[in-house]
Amino acid sequence: MRKSNKPFIIGIAGGSGSGKTFFLKSFLNHFKPGEVTLVSQDDYYIDAGVMSMEENKLFNFDLPSAIDHKQFVHDISKLVHGEIVYKKEYNFNNPLAVVKTLEIKPAPVLIIEGLFILHFQDIAALLDHSIFIEAKGSVALQRRISRDDIERGYPKEDVLYKWHNHVVPAYKEYLLPYKSSCHRIVVNNDNTPEKIIELTDAICRELKLQQLNNC
C-alpha cells in the first residue's frame, strides 16, 4: 500500500499503429487480479450516430473534441476515489456490434491510456508515471491498414485518407509535443512479441519496486 489511498496512476499514450494495444496486454499480464484496472479513452468517443462509409471516411475522430472529456475525467475521478464505474463499450459506429456494459473497478494501480491523455492537462496532472509508445511512420501505417481491414472492414483508400488527413496531423499536434515530458519512451518498430513482453516485465518490476519504496 502507498502512503495515501490514491492509486498509482500510469498513463500510456501512443499514436495509431504504435503497437500500444499489444504493449498494454503484455503490461497488464504482469499484475495479479485486483492489482490493476484500465480505463481507455476509446470508450469515451462521443456517439456520432450511424454513418455511411463515405461519412465515416470524412468524419474526423482524431480530435480532442471527439472525446467526451467531461465524462472521461469524471469516471477517472470516481476510480481514484475508490468507486466502481459502469460504462457502455464504444462500438466504433458498428451497427452490428453487441454493446457491452463495462464494469471498471478501482485498484491500487490505475492505467489510463489514449491518444489525448497528455493533451488533457487535468488528466496528465494525475499521472505518477507516463509511457510514450512510438513507431516509425511506415510501420505504424501498415499496422493501421491491417487492423482497419481485419477488424473494421475499411477499404485501404479510406484508411489512407484518414491517415494523411486526420491521424498524422492529430499525432503531430496533440501527442508528439508531450513526448519529451514522458518518464519513458518505448520504440516499437518490431513485430516481436518477446521483446515487448521482456520490456513490460522490466518496467513492471521497476514500478513495483518504486511503489514499495514509497510505502
Side-chain angles (χ1 to χ4, degrees):
M1 295 182 64
R2 306 180 70 211
K3 289 181 179 179
S4 71
N5 291 324
K6 175 182 175 293
F8 186 82
I9 304 177
I10 303 170
I12 299 181
S16 180
S18 63
K20 181 162 50 59
T21 299
F22 185 78
F23 179 91
L24 267 169
K25 288 179 180 178
S26 301
F27 196 73
L28 290 167
N29 281 338
H30 294 291
F31 294 91
K32 297 176 183 177
E35 280 187 337
V36 65
T37 197
L38 170 68
V39 58
S40 174
Q41 178 193 284
D42 278 359
D43 289 314
Y44 292 87
Y45 276 107
I46 297 170
D47 190 351
V50 178
M51 294 188 291
S52 67
M53 189 68 77
E54 183 64 20
E55 288 172 329
N56 186 282
K57 169 185 171 182
L58 297 175
F59 190 90
N60 192 349
F61 292 95
D62 289 274
L63 292 173
S65 58
I67 303 299
D68 188 343
H69 173 248
K70 183 177 180 181
Q71 189 64 46
F72 193 22
V73 174
H74 174 75
D75 287 355
I76 290 170
S77 178
K78 287 184 70 174
L79 291 166
V80 168
H81 288 90
E83 300 176 49
I84 296 175
V85 168
Y86 294 95
K87 180 78 179 67
K88 284 187 177 181
E89 185 179 42
Y90 185 72
N91 66 2
F92 293 94
N93 294 314
N94 181 357
L96 301 178
V98 177
V99 179
K100 301 176 184 176
T101 297
L102 305 173
E103 182 184 55
I104 310 172
K105 296 181 179 180
V109 177
L110 171 61
I111 297 178
I112 305 171
E113 70 89 12
L115 180 65
F116 304 126
I117 63 167
L118 303 174
H119 173 75
F120 293 140
Q121 293 301 298
D122 46 2
I123 295 176
L126 295 172
L127 304 180
D128 296 302
H129 192 85
S130 52
I131 301 173
F132 189 103
I133 314 292
E134 68 172 352
K136 62 183 180 182
S138 59
V139 172
L141 175 56
Q142 287 306 311
R143 287 173 178 164
R144 171 84 178 218
I145 291 171
S146 177
R147 183 205 69 184
D148 281 2
D149 175 40
I150 295 171
E151 297 181 11
R152 300 172 192 172
Y154 294 165
K156 183 176 179 180
E157 175 190 342
D158 290 5
V159 178
L160 290 174
Y161 176 88
K162 279 187 172 292
W163 181 265
H164 294 297
N165 293 281
H166 301 165
V167 176
V168 173
Y171 177 79
K172 290 180 177 178
E173 183 170 358
Y174 302 115
L175 181 55
L176 194 56
Y178 305 101
K179 174 181 172 180
S180 61
S181 66
C182 289
H183 294 93
R184 187 185 302 267
I185 298 169
V186 174
V187 179
N188 184 22
N189 290 322
D190 298 326
N191 292 315
T192 309
E194 292 79 11
K195 289 185 179 179
I196 294 299
I197 292 169
E198 183 180 337
L199 177 61
T200 55
D201 183 49
I203 295 172
C204 285
R205 285 199 307 268
E206 179 183 321
L207 291 179
K208 287 179 180 181
L209 180 62
Q210 180 180 334
Q211 284 187 272
L212 288 173
N213 290 336
N214 286 333
C215 289

